[in-house]
Amino acid sequence: MTSLTRLDLFCRVVDNYGDIGICWRLARQLQREHAIAVTLWVDDLASFRRICPGIDVQADTQMQAGVTVRHWCSMDGVFSVDDVADIVIEFFAVDIPPGYIAAMAQCQPRPVWFNLEGLTAEEWVEGCHGLSSTHPQLGLIKHFFFPGFTEKTGGLLVEAGLAEQRRAFQSDAAARTAFLAQLGLGPEQMAARLVSLFCYPHAPVAELLAAWQLDTTPTTCLVPEGVAADAVQAFLGTPAVAGACATRGALTLRVLPFVPQEDYDRLLWSCDLNFVRGEDSFVRAQWAGRPFVWHIYPQDEQLHHKKLRAFLQRYAAGLPDLSALSLQWNGAGSSAADWPALWAGFRTQMPAMQQRAEAWQQQMLALGDLASNLLRFAATPR
């Protein structure tokens, strides 16, 4: 295999910020840490701009953080062999333009082609990671690459030095205070139990907020604008716009603007507990070294509940209250849940969850990072 210096990454935005969040992190890491010339093809630039404010939604081609960003506005087009990168990644089985695939077949040597799959803790991925499939007409070989939680998978997406950056920030009280002040928090709100809330619209947010109102310890909940809008507006009694804030009982709820990815990491690092969703924020919560609750992307026939239980079996062993609240949060628990009791049990177990979060991070770092593992696989002769 000749030197692999160019990579094309194709992303279609399905879960508003999860798909592009993952692809944007991966693209930047490949460029910064491995000197790969990356082109990121994206169909939804408006969603992209929410996490990367520099994006020009009108531009067909632009440079952002050393990455070429192309607006994927057409299902097809005319491509030549010069347009094809050394490594081609389709994220989560998107359909690459047929003209691009035809050009891939004309390349010598042919590019390394990956389907980068979604993250799951299910055991079957260990047998599928790295498997190949041959295009029935063109003979191109596609490899299936699975992120995951064991040494038989591709590991998790994580930048070099992230753990050190996180520990430095969390040990610097002044840095945390300055960051939270930029988001509009005062000293009293910072001193409370700090929780970030990022979930899908069907989460039982109203029930959780009600439990926090009745708690004996003050809680400050930070919610990005547009998330759980109905429940948040009902709590506030005013439009759920960035900057809106209200206190009821022991709970203060503040609506935040969407922030760039680097600031979202700092938000997770600043909080005592993080509610996250999908895949991107789910992974970043694991690197935050804090207790978290995952709202998994819903699938037909409740398949997401199987995936949730597979993760909890790996992560939450010995933490029954984390499992109980997580299942209820995802609609996999009792139809008549006692949310104050669920929260009381969860709150009591949070110190043990903190210890688990730190140990889990070290366990995941030992697997290596997804980007390096993928490039190593691409460079291995087959």
Side-chain angles (χ1 to χ4, degrees):
M1 176 67 67
T2 58
S3 177
L4 304 174
T5 61
R6 294 174 55 206
L7 183 146
D8 279 4
L9 173 56
F10 290 83
C11 173
R12 285 201 181 279
V13 178
V14 177
D15 175 13
N16 295 343
Y17 314 109
D19 309 280
I20 185 55
I22 295 165
C23 291
W24 182 226
R25 292 188 195 278
L26 177 59
R28 285 182 299 166
Q29 185 180 0
L30 289 166
Q31 191 278 325
R32 289 175 179 174
E33 298 180 18
H34 300 279
I36 301 291
V38 179
T39 297
L40 174 58
W41 296 75
V42 184
D43 66 331
D44 182 356
L45 295 178
S47 291
F48 193 177
R49 186 167 63 177
R50 297 293 296 277
I51 62 171
C52 179
I55 286 293
D56 179 357
V57 297
Q58 302 299 324
D60 290 331
T61 303
Q62 57 191 295
M63 290 293 295
Q64 292 289 335
V67 174
T68 300
V69 176
R70 297 284 302 272
H71 186 199
W72 188 3
C73 54
S74 173
M75 288 297 292
D76 201 0
V78 178
F79 296 90
S80 71
V81 294
D82 293 333
D83 297 318
V84 178
D86 306 311
I87 302 173
V88 178
I89 300 176
E90 55 186 43
F91 180 70
F92 209 30
V94 301
D95 293 323
I96 294 178
Y100 190 97
I101 296 176
M104 289 168 60
Q106 302 301 315
C107 294
Q108 290 298 332
R110 289 181 165 184
V112 183
W113 186 7
F114 286 106
N115 179 10
L116 180 57
E117 291 281 359
L119 175 63
T120 180
E122 295 168 289
E123 291 185 1
W124 63 263
V125 301
E126 294 185 338
C128 296
H129 176 63
L131 291 183
S132 62
S133 173
T134 303
H135 192 286
Q137 286 81 40
L138 302 176
L140 290 164
I141 296 176
K142 181 193 302 185
H143 301 280
F144 295 89
F145 202 86
F146 285 83
F149 305 102
T150 74
E151 61 185 8
K152 295 181 181 179
T153 67
L156 299 179
L157 189 61
V158 57
E159 306 91 305
L162 182 68
E164 291 75 17
Q165 295 173 33
R166 189 264 300 181
R167 282 193 289 267
F169 180 88
Q170 290 177 337
S171 64
D172 188 340
R176 178 180 182 270
T177 298
F179 172 73
L180 293 173
Q182 291 175 0
L183 299 178
L185 278 71
E188 186 174 351
Q189 294 175 12
M190 295 183 201
R193 179 193 298 115
L194 207 57
V195 182
S196 74
L197 179 61
F198 189 39
C199 62
Y200 295 110
H202 59 281
V205 174
E207 292 86 342
L208 182 62
L209 297 183
W212 285 339
Q213 289 181 68
L214 299 173
D215 199 3
T216 56
T217 300
T219 295
T220 298
C221 178
L222 305 175
V223 187
E225 186 175 25
V227 172
D230 291 343
V232 171
Q233 183 163 317
F235 178 89
L236 294 172
T238 60
V241 297
C245 183
T247 299
R248 304 189 188 282
L251 173 62
T252 297
L253 187 149
R254 174 174 289 277
V255 181
L256 303 181
F258 258 80
V259 296
Q261 284 186 326
E262 294 85 351
D263 283 343
Y264 184 66
D265 280 330
R266 294 185 185 96
L267 176 63
L268 297 177
W269 299 347
S270 297
C271 289
D272 303 297
L273 170 64
N274 295 299
F275 284 74
V276 292
R277 79 180 200 190
E279 182 172 331
D280 182 54
S281 61
F282 170 49
V283 172
R284 301 314 281 193
Q286 293 172 61
W287 297 131
R290 291 284 190 257
F292 66 91
V293 177
W294 181 29
H295 201 204
I296 190 170
Y297 188 79
Q299 293 180 289
D300 293 337
E301 301 179 357
Q302 307 298 323
L303 291 178
H304 57 297
H305 289 167
K306 182 178 180 181
K307 292 183 177 181
L308 173 64
R309 288 188 172 94
F311 175 73
L312 291 173
Q313 186 176 5
R314 292 187 186 276
Y315 184 85
L319 299 170
D321 292 290
L322 170 57
S323 292
L325 191 142
S326 297
L327 291 169
Q328 197 66 47
W329 185 243
N330 283 275
S334 169
S335 59
D338 184 343
W339 275 94
L342 277 170
W343 170 247
F346 184 97
R347 178 191 60 198
T348 301
Q349 209 167 66
M350 280 183 63
M353 294 178 201
Q354 178 62 51
Q355 294 179 354
R356 177 56 174 150
E358 293 285 356
W360 178 260
Q361 185 170 122
Q362 295 307 309
Q363 185 179 335
M364 293 302 101
L365 286 172
L367 302 177
D369 69 277
L370 179 71
S372 298
N373 291 340
L374 187 145
L375 291 179
R376 189 176 302 112
F377 184 98
T380 302
R382 286 177 177 80

